[in-house]
Amino acid sequence: MVNGYTGNILRVDLTKESVSIENPDEIFYRRYIGGEGFIAFYLLKELKTDIDPLGPKNKLIFATGPLTGYAIPGTGRNSVGAKSPLTGGFGEAEVGGHWGAESKHAGFDAIIIEGKAKNPVYLWINDGQAEIKDASHLWGKITGETEAIIKEELDDKFIRVAQIGPGGENLVRYSCIINDLRNAAGRSGMGAVMGSKKLKAIAIRGHKKLDVRNKENLRSKIREFNEVAYKPVSGYFKYGTGYGIMEQFATTGNLPTRNFRDGDFKNAKDLDPGIMKEEIGLKMEACYACPIRCKKIVEIGEPWNVDPIYGGPEYESIGAFGSNCGINDLKAVCKANELCNKYSLDAISTGVSIGFAMECYENGILTGKDTNGLKLNFGNADAIVQMVELIAKRKGIGDILAEGVRRAAEKIKNGSEKYAMHVKGQEIPMHEPRLKQGLGVGYAVSPTGAEHMANMHDTSIASERSIAVHTAIGILEPLKIDDLGFKKIRALVYYTNWRNLLNALLICYFVPWDYVDIPEIVRAVTGWYTSSWELMKVGERITTMARVFNTREGLTKDDDCLPERFFQPHTSGALSEIAIKSDEFKNAISNYYKMMGWDENGIPTKSKLEELDINWVSQYL
Amino acid sequence: MVNGYTGNILRVDLTKESVSIENPDEIFYRRYIGGEGFIAFYLLKELKTDIDPLGPKNKLIFATGPLTGYAIPGTGRNSVGAKSPLTGGFGEAEVGGHWGAESKHAGFDAIIIEGKAKNPVYLWINDGQAEIKDASHLWGKITGETEAIIKEELDDKFIRVAQIGPGGENLVRYSCIINDLRNAAGRSGMGAVMGSKKLKAIAIRGHKKLDVRNKENLRSKIREFNEVAYKPVSGYFKYGTGYGIMEQFATTGNLPTRNFRDGDFKNAKDLDPGIMKEEIGLKMEACYACPIRCKKIVEIGEPWNVDPIYGGPEYESIGAFGSNCGINDLKAVCKANELCNKYSLDAISTGVSIGFAMECYENGILTGKDTNGLKLNFGNADAIVQMVELIAKRKGIGDILAEGVRRAAEKIKNGSEKYAMHVKGQEIPMHEPRLKQGLGVGYAVSPTGAEHMANMHDTSIASERSIAVHTAIGILEPLKIDDLGFKKIRALVYYTNWRNLLNALLICYFVPWDYVDIPEIVRAVTGWYTSSWELMKVGERITTMARVFNTREGLTKDDDCLPERFFQPHTSGALSEIAIKSDEFKNAISNYYKMMGWDENGIPTKSKLEELDINWVSQYL
């Protein structure tokens, strides 16, 4: 306050075919910041309880942050939120690329999509103007075709497109939204919500120059980044995520293997992006204004025919389609990933759903009769590629798996439930909670169900570099990775709130901006005289608002759990005698609640809402 | 971590006549910072429950902060702590001057005094060496004489002396400790604790050059201060505290008048330091390395004979001896203040004790028989000067008032209790809680009893300048001064924790270093990669530890109260229809507990202690 930092929010009603522009005041901007913060605000404020996530009363919100669109490393992201069709609770996902920056340049901090179009439409936003356009000719098309047609018909190859493919149209519950063909707002099923609204795409073009309140300070931070902070993360430049860690993860038990069952995965290095570079060919590209360039591009010929316009697999995709399905054929993994981007499917949920089916198959719960003859054994590389197609098109067994593992197991029954690796209905990412036990608690309490984007990565507290950074928020001692004592939960609480701030600011975790840098950058851009205290509290505010949303939707502490599997050791490998201890886990959950200022049932207290200056939220409890 | 920032703590056992040096590790330094943080740590860790505050088992701790002794504006302070003889709970006071810096230059971050000397002693600390010396010849002497003799016998006029006068020797429960003859560690009765140990003084001389980890950053902050931040507070330079506000305070009802009874005080401007400058003569001096120079020096001839070596009265002293006793004779006030510094009495408690006696006298509860003929009417300037002497020497009615108003009222009885203006036994400072209602709640919950040094000053949230600063911790809207809603309590919680941090860092409130500056300064000096989050949590840690100390000593939520008077309006003036509303007050206290993470009885929860990384403290609950 009071620098007049505000902006425009675009509201689009697809039922009424209307668009309007809103200008919230500066306190709104400062209290909720952007991204996940805006999403938490609008979902709580505007959604009615108990609505169908795939019905017209859900709202789909695209949001940027105050730093989006500036030439600041790591800020080329946006987030998407809605009530999740996968969990029935708070749904939110972040995505890189260029679309978010383009949205800011077109004059919009956020876009709220309401209602449902009669026929398929897309939204065309051009320098402050918004238009709902017919998309009948695009419906059913894969993402690459759609983007090409839109650019062609609007006659501008620099247009940025966020869109769904057939996965979203077919309401696959974990369908994602794809930016620039190869960046996914992956989790929470946001693509299905977009599909349910018959909104095929949002195409954006903007030329607005963004204001900076203190140019010299911003320049100095970016210079500092380029000279100092960039070096430790410059490895991403060559190979992207996953490089050099596949074998190490397999050795330590951190690499999810055969549906999180096993602890041994031979030849894990076959899946390493280093191999990709040597044997397949690997190019790299960047999100908007980011020097790190961590995004892979792979091109593979016969028989896989992987088209480079769809990028290449991140670590999560490699794990989900690779080791988690018992596969070490990296080309097949690249193909499965490419299909996910063509069809707009979340690679994690897709891979974990296939892994689930494979374990059911190996245990005779699913048979060739169910799979139309497809041999769904772990390790069958052809099978995963075929399964992605079946899921996207909701064909055969794919139609069941398109519901996510929780609902699939409810249909399949016969003991399949114990192979459904999810929390709150969302499939578990590629970090082993038996090893990263703090993250395991994070999976359990995360408002979006199992996710790795809003919780602590235990290892980040264990290394020497990271401990130096984490002291800035008072984590003064290294923490053991497989520990759930109060010091770990304290770190989880602080780190979760911080990550939720980053999801509001839309700052990438790979960019080593830290607790000291980020307040300085926000100050330079917005002119707000802010501090890490204020910003950590923004993160806590968001974590808490998302929790209130879930509470309102009927989720309880019983939903803060993990699959039983994680309380048993791996069948083999480093964790063959190590698992999460049930009593320690329960205690950790309880401690997490208390440290968050929630009651014993995990419900935020009125005083906590007041302390976070969001007393209006208490009406929803 | 891990820059190796550590130091030396001196431990002195007066019973065993031994001295020793300890070196806590860096985590201790970073977790508790210094000052009030060290005091909270040692009092909890080392004092047994239920000890006599004036017995040999109490410990008296002098502590500096990480910035003390550097040429940084506003850091020339130290703190003193012990179990308080006034409240029976957590006792702590801060003091300006040069003694703290000298202690750092002599090589000691803190000094822990244990046991009790057989005969009066003083401590002589000289560049890392400490010696217990006989003080039989000093016992009974006023502070000015004692300092002169010590400098003479140690043959060094640059020695800095912290000491007690006869008030401390005579165990006046609100006796203070005097640095450099004119700076008082005023509250909590620390002088009585020193007197009980027969420790007359601590004389220090040091020449150590202090290390700075990032000199350029520190220089740049100080340059920034001199060029920008200094200006708004440069008014202190001419007249010190109280200037220009006496009449305004009287008009708004903020000036405590006739023992907090009345709201009208005619000719309040007679008490203004501006008048002091014009009619008495006023010089200014500074604490160590401070350009603000807010400390008054007054010299007055017959009949008052005020010696300038004892400085001059702050706003608190002017209020306590002036309007609070119905007096507008500024020269008499200066004399009373001088006597407090000679005898080592806390001016606030002394003035409020006399005001109490005056109201008793006017109501016939005390008579000439009790006062040995002294007419104790409000407005009797001679009487206040005589009363200071009687209290220091514990003569006549002075002996009863030397116990503080709570105990005095318990002795005097006959309805005098309702005139005893204290919280937890400590007398109320010169800010009207009917007007500054948030501060009123602060008085009630403060661990040391009524005090203005660890709580919010409501006005600081009301001005435009301060709101710009306070946004940095997320206080985004101006707050009404006479409001006790959740936004005010939230601000009180944040601000209390921040002030307790300042009391650990030993940074003066008059220096406009703020939430953004202070982490930068601490980073530059210590090399710690710290943030406002970490530092606010240090403050919260201290607030909480002090609360645990009080809980252990038997204080309960019933002690978090205010005198009944404040729930009734003034007899006249701006607040003749405004008072604290009892239900709002109770609700505010309860909200304060909850926002602090304490239970409904005001007892910190185990999870809060764990979140603050001080689980060891839970053993005391």
Side-chain angles (χ1 to χ4, degrees):
Chain A
M1 304 285 110
V2 177
N3 297 290
Y5 178 93
T6 57
N8 297 317
I9 310 277
L10 178 67
R11 192 180 288 271
V12 177
D13 189 320
L14 295 175
T15 305
K16 297 183 185 159
E17 298 175 4
S18 69
V19 300
S20 60
I21 295 173
E22 296 168 9
N23 303 98
D25 67 11
E26 191 172 9
I27 285 186
F28 167 82
Y29 273 89
R30 190 153 175 178
R31 194 173 282 144
Y32 307 106
I33 292 284
E36 192 184 4
F38 285 179
I39 287 165
F41 176 85
Y42 285 114
L43 293 186
L44 267 175
K45 197 96 172 177
E46 301 193 358
L47 288 200
K48 292 218 159 58
T49 307
D50 266 342
I51 57 156
D52 176 8
L54 297 177
K57 289 184 180 162
N58 201 359
K59 300 194 184 189
L60 183 67
I61 298 156
F62 294 77
T64 67
L67 310 181
T68 316
Y70 292 87
I72 304 169
T75 62
R77 292 170 78 74
N78 67 275
S79 65
V80 190
K83 180 171 175 176
S84 168
L86 206 48
T87 69
F90 185 76
E92 196 263 348
E94 304 89 39
V95 50
H98 295 253
W99 188 92
E102 202 69 28
S103 171
K104 273 296 263 296
H105 296 157
F108 295 111
D109 299 313
I111 304 166
I112 303 169
I113 309 285
E114 306 180 343
K116 181 182 173 176
K118 262 190 226 111
N119 299 304
V121 294
Y122 75 95
L123 190 63
W124 165 224
I125 296 172
N126 187 16
D127 277 327
Q129 304 293 317
E131 189 185 344
I132 300 169
K133 294 176 76 79
D134 178 61
S136 305
H137 58 305
L138 301 172
W139 206 249
K141 296 227 171 336
I142 59 170
T143 54
E145 292 168 356
T146 299
E147 185 177 286
I149 294 169
I150 288 177
K151 287 184 174 182
E152 173 85 24
E153 72 187 25
L154 297 175
D155 194 22
D156 187 342
K157 66 179 179 177
F158 294 109
I159 283 169
R160 298 294 178 175
V161 180
Q163 60 162 320
I164 53 169
E169 297 173 14
N170 295 328
L171 308 181
V172 175
R173 283 189 187 265
Y174 44 81
S175 170
C176 64
I177 295 172
I178 295 280
N179 285 5
D180 315 310
L181 303 184
R182 43 199 178 275
N183 304 290
R187 311 312 309 279
S188 296
M190 296 298 98
V193 176
M194 196 160 168
S196 76
K197 297 190 172 302
K198 293 216 179 295
L199 178 66
K200 180 68 174 170
I202 304 181
I204 302 196
R205 188 75 171 103
H207 298 83
K208 189 178 161 188
K209 206 172 142 28
L210 302 175
D211 188 33
V212 176
R213 298 306 169 109
N214 190 325
K215 283 180 189 155
E216 185 37 53
N217 284 3
L218 183 59
R219 267 196 291 266
S220 139
K221 287 308 293 182
I222 294 172
R223 201 159 46 228
E224 196 184 298
F225 176 86
N226 290 327
E227 286 167 9
V228 183
Y230 173 62
K231 278 173 198 157
V233 293
S234 58
Y236 282 122
F237 176 84
K238 288 190 189 161
Y239 309 98
T241 57
Y243 173 64
I245 61 173
M246 303 308 296
E247 190 158 30
Q248 180 210 325
F249 275 22
T251 309
T252 57
N254 189 46
L255 188 68
T257 300
R258 296 175 207 96
N259 201 32
F260 291 90
R261 184 188 70 192
D262 303 336
D264 64 320
F265 190 68
K266 299 275 186 315
N267 301 323
K269 69 171 187 301
D270 292 348
L271 293 172
D272 198 287
I275 299 291
M276 207 181 285
K277 182 123 185 171
E278 285 168 31
E279 298 184 5
I280 300 177
L282 177 64
K283 290 180 187 168
M284 303 302 295
E285 70 167 10
C287 294
Y288 180 80
C290 190
I292 292 182
R293 298 172 61 82
C294 76
K295 297 283 185 181
K296 299 181 188 74
I297 299 178
V298 297
E299 180 169 10
I300 303 175
E302 294 289 343
W304 296 114
N305 292 318
V306 174
D307 187 338
I309 67 169
Y310 297 104
E314 300 290 342
Y315 165 72
E316 293 292 329
S317 314
I318 299 174
F321 291 118
S323 54
N324 190 59
C325 291
I327 285 163
N328 59 5
D329 180 335
L330 192 48
K331 291 181 180 175
V333 167
C334 288
K335 183 63 190 178
N337 180 73
E338 181 228 42
L339 291 175
C340 283
N341 289 351
K342 272 180 175 163
Y343 294 128
S344 77
L345 295 182
D346 174 42
I348 297 172
S349 285
T350 307
V352 172
S353 294
I354 297 171
F356 159 78
M358 285 174 157
E359 193 166 5
C360 288
Y361 186 87
E362 293 214 338
N363 285 281
I365 299 171
L366 289 176
T367 64
K369 207 175 132 195
D370 302 299
T371 65
N372 206 16
L374 186 64
K375 285 183 179 152
L376 263 183
N377 300 94
F378 283 124
N380 183 347
D382 285 323
I384 57 164
V385 175
Q386 291 182 52
M387 284 302 301
V388 177
E389 297 267 3
L390 294 174
I391 288 168
K393 295 170 182 166
R394 278 190 173 273
K395 286 193 180 159
I397 183 74
D399 189 38
I400 294 171
L401 295 180
E403 293 289 291
V405 296
R406 180 171 66 180
R407 288 177 176 81
E410 283 166 6
K411 281 194 186 167
I412 295 169
K413 297 196 181 76
N414 293 318
S416 66
E417 296 85 350
K418 65 177 176 288
Y419 305 135
M421 296 295 107
H422 73 92
V423 175
K424 298 185 177 66
Q426 175 154 278
E427 289 72 17
I428 292 175
M430 296 298 113
H431 304 265
E432 172 56 69
R434 296 174 183 92
L435 180 68
K436 296 181 173 177
Q437 298 198 355
L439 182 63
V441 175
Y443 286 163
V445 296
S446 168
T448 56
E451 77 152 313
H452 63 300
M453 297 298 279
N455 306 304
M456 181 179 62
H457 269 59
D458 299 58
T459 44
S460 67
I461 310 291
S463 78
E464 203 161 324
R465 179 195 154 263
S466 73
I467 196 70
V469 169
H470 289 299
T471 58
I473 49 168
I475 298 171
L476 301 181
E477 296 148 307
L479 298 168
K480 274 172 62 187
I481 198 164
D482 57 347
D483 174 44
L484 287 178
F486 77 89
K487 281 180 193 260
K488 175 65 81 61
I489 301 308
R490 172 176 177 264
L492 174 66
V493 165
Y494 285 11
Y495 205 58
T496 297
N497 292 336
W498 181 252
R499 284 222 160 185
N500 281 310
L501 167 72
L502 298 186
N503 294 343
L505 287 168
L506 273 321
I507 294 178
C508 180
Y509 311 144
F510 295 154
V511 180
W513 298 123
D514 62 35
Y515 312 105
V516 173
D517 299 317
I518 285 175
E520 291 178 5
I521 295 170
V522 175
R523 268 205 297 282
V525 169
T526 63
W528 292 335
Y529 198 63
T530 191
S531 73
S532 66
W533 178 267
E534 184 186 14
L535 293 179
M536 281 282 279
K537 284 284 167 185
V538 170
E540 187 181 345
R541 190 173 290 136
I542 295 168
T543 315
T544 304
M545 289 168 78
R547 182 77 183 182
V548 171
F549 183 88
N550 279 354
T551 302
R552 184 176 77 174
E553 297 304 322
L555 279 80
T556 71
K557 65 175 182 172
D558 295 338
D559 297 293
D560 296 338
C561 59
L562 284 175
E564 269 308 303
R565 172 155 281 177
F566 297 118
F567 300 94
Q568 306 298 330
H570 280 153
T571 55
S572 55
L575 304 181
S576 61
E577 290 176 7
I578 294 171
I580 301 175
K581 293 191 182 74
S582 181
D583 54 339
E584 284 180 9
F585 177 77
K586 275 181 198 151
N587 189 49
I589 296 276
S590 162
N591 218 351
Y592 180 90
Y593 293 166
K594 290 183 210 154
M595 286 190 187
M596 284 297 296
W598 302 350
D599 72 13
E600 67 274 22
N601 292 313
I603 298 172
T605 61
K606 188 163 176 290
S607 285
K608 173 50 77 177
L609 299 178
E610 291 182 345
E611 190 245 295
L612 295 171
D613 212 4
I614 46 170
N615 63 311
W616 63 272
V617 167
S618 65
Q619 68 185 294
Y620 302 118
L621 285 177
Chain B
M1 306 289 112
V2 181
N3 297 291
Y5 178 93
T6 57
N8 297 317
I9 310 278
L10 178 66
R11 193 180 288 271
V12 177
D13 190 320
L14 294 174
T15 305
K16 295 183 186 158
E17 298 175 2
S18 68
V19 299
S20 60
I21 295 172
E22 295 168 11
N23 305 96
D25 66 14
E26 191 172 10
I27 285 186
F28 167 83
Y29 274 88
R30 190 153 176 177
R31 192 172 285 146
Y32 306 106
I33 292 283
E36 193 185 3
F38 285 0
I39 287 165
F41 176 86
Y42 285 115
L43 293 187
L44 267 175
K45 197 95 173 179
E46 301 192 356
L47 288 202
K48 290 219 159 60
T49 307
D50 267 341
I51 57 155
D52 176 6
L54 298 177
K57 288 183 180 162
N58 201 358
K59 299 192 183 190
L60 183 66
I61 299 155
F62 294 77
T64 67
L67 309 181
T68 317
Y70 293 86
I72 303 169
T75 62
R77 291 171 78 75
N78 67 274
S79 65
V80 190
K83 180 172 176 176
S84 167
L86 206 48
T87 69
F90 185 76
E92 196 263 348
E94 304 89 39
V95 50
H98 296 254
W99 187 92
E102 201 71 28
S103 171
K104 273 296 263 300
H105 297 156
F108 296 112
D109 299 312
I111 304 166
I112 302 168
I113 309 285
E114 307 180 343
K116 180 183 173 176
K118 259 192 229 110
N119 300 303
V121 294
Y122 76 95
L123 190 62
W124 164 226
I125 296 172
N126 187 15
D127 277 326
Q129 304 293 316
E131 190 184 343
I132 300 169
K133 294 176 74 81
D134 179 59
S136 306
H137 57 307
L138 302 173
W139 206 247
K141 294 221 170 346
I142 58 170
T143 54
E145 292 168 354
T146 298
E147 184 177 286
I149 294 170
I150 287 177
K151 287 184 173 182
E152 171 86 24
E153 73 186 26
L154 297 174
D155 194 21
D156 186 343
K157 66 178 178 175
F158 295 109
I159 284 169
R160 299 292 178 176
V161 180
Q163 60 161 320
I164 53 169
E169 296 174 14
N170 294 329
L171 308 181
V172 174
R173 283 189 187 265
Y174 44 81
S175 171
C176 64
I177 295 170
I178 296 280
N179 286 5
D180 314 312
L181 304 185
R182 45 198 176 273
N183 304 290
R187 312 310 312 275
S188 296
M190 297 297 99
V193 177
M194 196 159 168
S196 76
K197 298 191 171 304
K198 291 210 179 302
L199 178 65
K200 180 68 174 170
I202 304 181
I204 302 196
R205 189 74 172 102
H207 299 82
K208 190 178 161 188
K209 206 172 142 26
L210 302 175
D211 188 32
V212 175
R213 297 305 166 110
N214 190 324
K215 281 180 192 157
E216 186 37 53
N217 285 4
L218 183 59
R219 265 195 294 263
S220 138
K221 287 307 292 181
I222 294 171
R223 201 158 45 227
E224 195 184 300
F225 175 86
N226 289 328
E227 287 166 10
V228 184
Y230 173 61
K231 278 172 200 158
V233 294
S234 58
Y236 282 123
F237 176 84
K238 287 189 190 162
Y239 309 97
T241 57
Y243 172 64
I245 61 174
M246 302 309 295
E247 190 158 29
Q248 179 209 325
F249 276 22
T251 309
T252 58
N254 189 44
L255 188 67
T257 300
R258 296 176 207 96
N259 200 35
F260 291 88
R261 185 188 68 191
D262 303 336
D264 66 318
F265 190 67
K266 300 275 186 311
N267 301 321
K269 68 172 188 301
D270 292 349
L271 293 173
D272 199 286
I275 300 290
M276 206 180 284
K277 183 124 184 173
E278 285 166 33
E279 299 183 4
I280 300 177
L282 177 64
K283 292 180 186 168
M284 303 302 295
E285 69 166 11
C287 294
Y288 181 80
C290 189
I292 293 185
R293 297 173 62 81
C294 75
K295 296 284 186 179
K296 300 180 187 74
I297 299 177
V298 297
E299 181 169 10
I300 304 175
E302 292 292 339
W304 296 115
N305 292 317
V306 175
D307 187 338
I309 65 169
Y310 297 104
E314 301 291 343
Y315 165 72
E316 294 292 329
S317 313
I318 298 173
F321 291 118
S323 54
N324 190 60
C325 291
I327 285 164
N328 58 4
D329 180 335
L330 193 49
K331 290 182 181 175
V333 168
C334 288
K335 183 63 190 180
N337 181 73
E338 182 228 42
L339 290 176
C340 282
N341 289 350
K342 273 181 174 163
Y343 292 130
S344 74
L345 296 183
D346 174 42
I348 298 172
S349 286
T350 307
V352 173
S353 295
I354 296 170
F356 159 78
M358 285 175 157
E359 193 165 5
C360 289
Y361 186 86
E362 294 213 339
N363 284 283
I365 299 171
L366 289 176
T367 65
K369 209 176 132 193
D370 303 298
T371 65
N372 207 16
L374 186 63
K375 285 181 180 157
L376 263 183
N377 300 95
F378 283 124
N380 183 346
D382 284 325
I384 58 164
V385 174
Q386 290 182 53
M387 283 302 302
V388 177
E389 296 267 2
L390 293 174
I391 289 168
K393 293 169 182 167
R394 278 190 175 269
K395 285 192 180 158
I397 184 73
D399 189 38
I400 293 172
L401 296 179
E403 292 290 291
V405 295
R406 180 171 67 180
R407 287 179 177 81
E410 283 166 6
K411 280 192 187 168
I412 295 167
K413 297 194 181 74
N414 293 316
S416 66
E417 296 86 348
K418 66 177 175 291
Y419 306 134
M421 296 295 107
H422 72 92
V423 175
K424 298 185 177 67
Q426 177 156 274
E427 289 72 18
I428 293 176
M430 295 300 114
H431 304 266
E432 172 56 67
R434 296 173 184 94
L435 180 69
K436 296 181 174 176
Q437 298 199 356
L439 181 63
V441 176
Y443 286 164
V445 296
S446 167
T448 56
E451 76 152 312
H452 62 299
M453 299 296 280
N455 307 304
M456 181 181 61
H457 268 58
D458 298 60
T459 45
S460 65
I461 309 291
S463 78
E464 203 162 322
R465 181 196 152 261
S466 74
I467 195 72
V469 168
H470 288 300
T471 59
I473 50 168
I475 298 170
L476 301 182
E477 295 147 309
L479 298 168
K480 275 172 59 187
I481 199 165
D482 57 345
D483 173 46
L484 286 179
F486 76 88
K487 282 181 193 260
K488 176 64 81 60
I489 301 308
R490 172 176 177 263
L492 174 66
V493 165
Y494 286 10
Y495 205 58
T496 297
N497 292 336
W498 180 253
R499 284 221 159 185
N500 281 311
L501 167 72
L502 299 185
N503 294 343
L505 287 169
L506 273 319
I507 294 178
C508 181
Y509 311 143
F510 295 154
V511 180
W513 297 124
D514 62 34
Y515 311 106
V516 173
D517 299 317
I518 285 175
E520 290 177 5
I521 296 170
V522 174
R523 269 206 296 284
V525 170
T526 63
W528 293 335
Y529 197 64
T530 192
S531 73
S532 65
W533 177 267
E534 183 185 15
L535 294 179
M536 281 282 278
K537 283 285 167 185
V538 171
E540 187 181 346
R541 191 173 291 136
I542 295 168
T543 316
T544 304
M545 288 167 78
R547 183 77 184 181
V548 171
F549 183 87
N550 279 354
T551 303
R552 184 176 77 175
E553 297 305 321
L555 278 80
T556 72
K557 65 175 180 173
D558 295 338
D559 297 293
D560 296 339
C561 59
L562 285 176
E564 270 307 304
R565 170 155 283 178
F566 297 118
F567 301 94
Q568 307 297 329
H570 280 154
T571 55
S572 56
L575 304 181
S576 60
E577 290 177 6
I578 293 171
I580 301 176
K581 294 192 180 74
S582 181
D583 53 340
E584 284 180 10
F585 177 77
K586 276 182 196 149
N587 190 49
I589 297 276
S590 163
N591 219 351
Y592 180 91
Y593 293 167
K594 290 183 210 153
M595 287 191 188
M596 285 295 298
W598 302 351
D599 71 14
E600 67 273 23
N601 293 312
I603 297 171
T605 62
K606 188 164 177 286
S607 285
K608 174 50 76 178
L609 299 177
E610 290 181 347
E611 189 246 295
L612 296 171
D613 212 4
I614 46 169
N615 63 313
W616 63 271
V617 167
S618 66
Q619 68 184 292
Y620 303 118
L621 285 176

